[in-house]
Amino acid sequence: MAGFRTRFILAILCMLAGTGLRFLVPLVASGTIDYALQSGTGQSRVVDFFRRTVEQDWLAGHLWAAGLVIFGLTCGAGLFNFMKGKLAAEASDGIARKLKNRLYGHLQRLPMRFFDKAETGDLVQRCTSDVETLRMAISTQVVEVSHALILMGTAIPLMFMIDARMAAVSFALIGPLIAFGYFYIKRVRYLFQLFDEAEGKVTAVVQENLTGLRVVRAFRRQAFEIEKFSGPNQNYRDLGLRLIRLMAIYWSISDFVALSQNALVLGIGLHFISSGSLTVGTLFAFIMLLNLVLWPVRQMGRTLTELGKSTVAIGRIEEILEEAEEGGTPDHGLPTGRGHILARDVTFSHQEGQVALEKVSFEVRPGETLAILGPSGSGKSTLIHLLLRLYDYQSGSIQFDGVEMKELDRIWCREQFATVMQEPFLFSKSIIENIRLGRPSAREKEITRVAQMAHIHETIHSFPSGYKTLVGERGVTLSGGQRQRVALARALLREAPVLLLDDALSAVDTETEEIILDALRKRHGKMTTIVIAHRLSTLSHADRVIVMDQGKIVESGTHEELCRSDGLYRRLWHIQNKEEPGGMEPFTMKN
């Protein structure tokens, strides 16, 4: 609300002005009718006011002026109503924009553990549909509730001033209508929460299916995916029908009560007119005033229901905003960024009882290359995540240039690493924009240089639009090897002290891999490099190799040292080079 209070205050003032003008319309009409008919044994209070303020002879000959007054009052009320809606919409749109920005910014700073358990589709639902629900509540429901309360607060004393008997009759069924709306809201609020959650599940299924569309087509799983979608969609539809039935019940009963209230006022009013104790104009005024109040009060049941839905949306939004952000420390006492990494007895678990790393120790000096080998699930990528501080280790120590990494600012830590992940992600932009993410200020000459190092420059030039070629979502219009090489160029452009390659050349052919490795070897000593790979040819030129298995380091040494020892590295080297001891040629899968 901060920054938008002025617009809301102006909207309320416009609402008050418009309400006042709308109430004058039935009073003017009532006085004109009674003055023209001279009905009843006594004159109404409105006619008495006319007689005191307007010359009788002029009024008798200019009754048409009342129509102009009513027209002017109606136009004025319409103008104020327009300004009320405009100001409320501007304020609510501004609040929704700020809330979306806040939510999106908060998501950028949440720890990875939050995203490990969250569904992407549900998060999208909360950041879009739930915020839109809240925006509608602020711009429409809050204003309508305020409008109904102002109408009632103005109409009740005014109607009792005109005729206390008819005022009592006019509000005889308003109380039951409000009570019915209150119990209806309590009944439907929980259903709204289930409906909102069901919509989030539908969104999650659609998002996951579209992300993995190629896998679905490759394994002919369309029928399964359709069946998988039908369950949440059926639940979503059933909850929607339950809401529609409840709404239909509310509108039917509220319509009956509202029409009964009108019939009651009209019947008793006609009785009073026949007995001479009420004027025609007064009855007309009561019917108009009643409808000014009755329909907004009837609408308030639906309005409050929508507000109930918005409270569910607020709760879902607050669940995200209440999540603690990644901790950070002030930028003081930062190391020089030389790239010296020392790990001692590092232990980490994603979940309690599931150890991913256990007492892992190693050292990489500035400019050295460390290679990491191990079967899937051995903890290689987890180690990279710890270095990037996507997670924090539970025990042990990782020092960067002699300073404990937990004591360093996360953003600064990540600036020291240029990373190519196991599954490189490219944005739906041009190739040059994707590479320039490494360093936005880079010139085209520098981009070309790193593209040549990643052996992707010639490939890019073969595209019709060259570096301006747009890649599809997640880079799907490029091959796996092309995506990896673009991601490698992006990392090299960063020129960070440490280069992390998490199986970054797995989709590249052997010849291309050798060209890239040769370019990287020429940079030996300029940056610390940590390489994860399954091809031992990629690792053989590293200064040190560590072999991991089940979260532990089981071997460590240079390529030559590990080939001389009887361990996993030596067996893998023989297999990949078809030199299995005993003369048996191992079976290897060829690309």
Side-chain angles (χ1 to χ4, degrees):
M1 292 290 287
F4 300 98
R5 290 191 181 91
T6 302
R7 284 188 175 88
F8 270 115
I9 292 172
L10 290 174
I12 292 173
L13 292 176
C14 288
M15 185 193 306
L16 290 170
T19 301
L21 294 179
R22 289 180 68 187
F23 273 115
L24 289 176
V25 172
L27 297 181
V28 173
S30 168
T32 303
I33 292 171
D34 281 347
Y35 186 87
L37 297 178
Q38 299 291 315
S39 58
T41 55
Q43 300 300 336
S44 69
R45 293 184 178 181
V46 179
V47 174
D48 291 339
F49 176 77
F50 275 21
R51 291 184 184 280
R52 289 196 302 270
T53 56
V54 184
E55 187 178 341
Q56 294 187 35
D57 293 339
W58 186 91
L59 188 60
H62 298 82
L63 287 176
W64 54 267
L68 291 179
V69 173
I70 292 174
F71 177 77
L73 292 172
T74 303
C75 288
L79 178 62
F80 281 116
N81 190 57
F82 167 77
M83 291 302 299
K84 173 206 72 176
K86 179 176 181 295
L87 290 167
E90 288 176 351
S92 62
D93 286 347
I95 290 172
R97 176 180 58 82
K98 289 186 69 174
L99 181 57
K100 285 180 180 179
N101 288 340
R102 183 185 172 193
L103 268 173
Y104 188 77
H106 186 67
L107 285 172
Q108 303 307 307
R109 295 184 291 271
L110 288 180
M112 289 303 299
R113 288 188 182 276
F114 171 80
F115 297 99
D116 290 342
K117 60 185 179 181
E119 290 184 341
T120 304
D122 185 60
L123 293 179
V124 172
Q125 174 82 7
R126 296 184 191 218
C127 293
T128 54
S129 180
D130 287 342
V131 174
E132 181 64 16
T133 298
L134 184 58
R135 184 194 69 81
M136 289 296 296
I138 296 172
S139 66
T140 306
Q141 280 84 49
V142 172
V143 174
E144 287 185 1
V145 170
S146 302
H147 189 211
L149 294 175
I150 290 172
L151 285 173
M152 289 188 64
T154 306
I156 291 174
L158 180 61
M159 293 170 78
F160 271 98
M161 285 173 59
I162 296 174
D163 192 300
R165 300 169 305 166
M166 289 300 297
V169 172
S170 298
F171 292 100
L173 299 180
I174 294 292
L177 184 62
I178 294 174
F180 173 67
Y182 172 75
F183 287 109
Y184 169 77
I185 293 165
K186 293 186 67 176
R187 174 72 179 85
V188 82
R189 186 176 180 275
Y190 177 67
L191 192 57
F192 264 128
Q193 182 171 357
L194 295 179
F195 182 75
D196 213 22
E197 291 173 354
E199 186 179 1
K201 291 186 181 300
V202 170
T203 305
V205 172
V206 173
Q207 185 270 336
E208 184 180 41
N209 176 267
L210 294 178
T211 301
L213 194 59
R214 280 173 166 73
V215 177
V216 172
R217 296 286 178 86
F219 287 89
R220 298 187 301 167
R221 299 287 284 179
Q222 292 97 321
F224 173 81
E225 288 295 322
I226 292 171
E227 182 66 25
K228 175 183 171 183
F229 175 76
S230 65
N233 191 39
Q234 177 73 24
N235 183 47
Y236 177 64
R237 190 210 68 154
D238 292 343
L239 290 170
L241 289 177
R242 286 175 62 185
L243 278 173
I244 291 172
R245 283 195 290 268
L246 283 175
M247 295 290 286
I249 292 171
Y250 173 78
W251 286 117
S252 300
I253 295 176
S254 61
D255 279 348
F256 175 77
V257 174
L259 293 173
S260 298
Q261 181 64 76
N262 269 318
L264 184 64
V265 170
L266 182 61
I268 295 179
L270 290 174
H271 171 72
F272 286 155
I273 289 175
S274 64
S275 64
S277 60
L278 189 70
T279 65
V280 174
T282 301
L283 177 60
F284 179 80
F286 266 92
I287 292 175
M288 288 191 69
L289 289 171
L290 176 63
N291 281 295
L292 278 177
V293 176
L294 188 62
W295 298 109
V297 170
R298 168 182 173 267
Q299 184 75 8
M300 193 161 63
R302 178 179 180 179
T303 301
L304 291 175
T305 300
E306 293 296 325
L307 281 177
K309 184 178 180 180
S310 70
T311 60
V312 174
I314 291 172
R316 284 165 55 81
I317 292 170
E318 285 181 343
E319 284 182 5
I320 296 178
L321 294 178
E322 288 174 357
E323 289 285 340
E325 296 182 357
E326 284 185 326
T329 55
D331 290 341
H332 65 273
L334 296 177
T336 57
R338 295 182 298 115
H340 182 198
I341 299 172
L342 177 62
R344 294 184 184 278
D345 297 329
V346 177
T347 300
F348 172 77
S349 300
H350 286 286
Q351 297 179 356
E352 189 174 352
Q354 297 182 2
V355 178
L357 295 175
E358 184 177 357
K359 295 186 178 301
V360 172
S361 300
F362 64 90
E363 181 177 11
V364 194
R365 298 185 181 277
E368 287 186 346
T369 298
L370 173 70
I372 305 176
L373 174 70
S376 298
S378 59
K380 304 183 300 297
S381 295
T382 300
L383 188 57
I384 298 296
H385 295 162
L386 295 184
L387 292 175
L388 291 171
R389 292 205 65 190
L390 299 179
Y391 303 92
D392 279 333
Y393 42 94
Q394 282 92 16
S395 64
S397 169
I398 299 180
Q399 293 184 359
F400 188 90
D401 289 346
V403 181
E404 190 68 31
M405 290 194 72
K406 284 186 178 180
E407 299 176 2
L408 295 172
D409 180 69
R410 290 179 187 272
I411 295 176
W412 185 90
C413 281
R414 290 164 190 166
E415 287 176 349
Q416 308 312 304
F417 295 90
T419 310
V420 183
M421 293 293 188
Q422 193 170 8
E423 297 178 3
F425 183 94
L426 299 183
F427 291 90
S428 184
K429 297 182 178 182
S430 66
I431 293 176
I432 191 170
E433 287 177 302
N434 272 285
I435 296 177
R436 190 171 266 141
L437 285 173
R439 183 155 46 90
S441 61
R443 295 171 297 179
E444 289 192 20
K445 183 178 180 180
E446 295 174 293
I447 292 173
T448 301
R449 177 175 57 83
V450 295
Q452 290 171 338
M453 290 181 61
H455 199 59
I456 190 66
H457 175 71
E458 297 298 331
T459 303
I460 295 173
H461 261 296
S462 68
F463 298 147
S465 300
Y467 279 86
K468 295 184 179 179
T469 301
L470 294 175
V471 301
E473 187 176 5
R474 293 176 174 263
V476 294
T477 54
L478 301 179
S479 69
Q482 289 169 346
R483 286 199 300 273
Q484 285 188 336
R485 285 180 282 163
V486 170
L488 177 59
R490 178 173 64 192
L492 292 173
L493 185 66
R494 183 98 177 244
E495 295 186 343
V498 183
L499 176 64
L500 299 178
L501 303 179
D502 186 359
D503 209 9
L505 302 177
S506 58
V508 176
D509 62 87
T510 306
E511 182 180 355
T512 302
E513 179 190 29
E514 187 56 36
I515 295 173
I516 295 172
L517 290 175
D518 184 60
L520 292 177
R521 280 194 290 271
K522 291 177 181 178
R523 294 173 61 88
H524 185 269
K526 295 182 179 179
M527 60 169 27
T528 303
T529 305
I530 298 179
V531 183
I532 294 176
H534 291 94
R535 290 179 187 166
L536 270 65
S537 59
T538 308
L539 311 178
S540 59
H541 300 287
D543 296 299
R544 179 163 293 275
V545 180
I546 60 175
V547 182
M548 300 186 66
D549 190 18
Q550 297 182 1
K552 300 178 182 179
I553 295 179
V554 294
E555 290 183 85
S556 177
T558 64
H559 168 71
E560 291 76 13
E561 291 172 346
L562 294 177
C563 283
R564 287 195 297 267
S565 66
D566 185 16
L568 177 61
Y569 187 91
R570 181 183 179 183
R571 291 197 298 273
L572 290 174
W573 177 260
H574 287 317
I575 291 173
Q576 293 188 15
N577 289 275
K578 298 184 180 180
E579 295 176 359
E580 182 71 17
M584 182 180 292
E585 181 175 282
F587 172 79
T588 57
M589 183 178 290
K590 297 182 180 180
N591 293 329

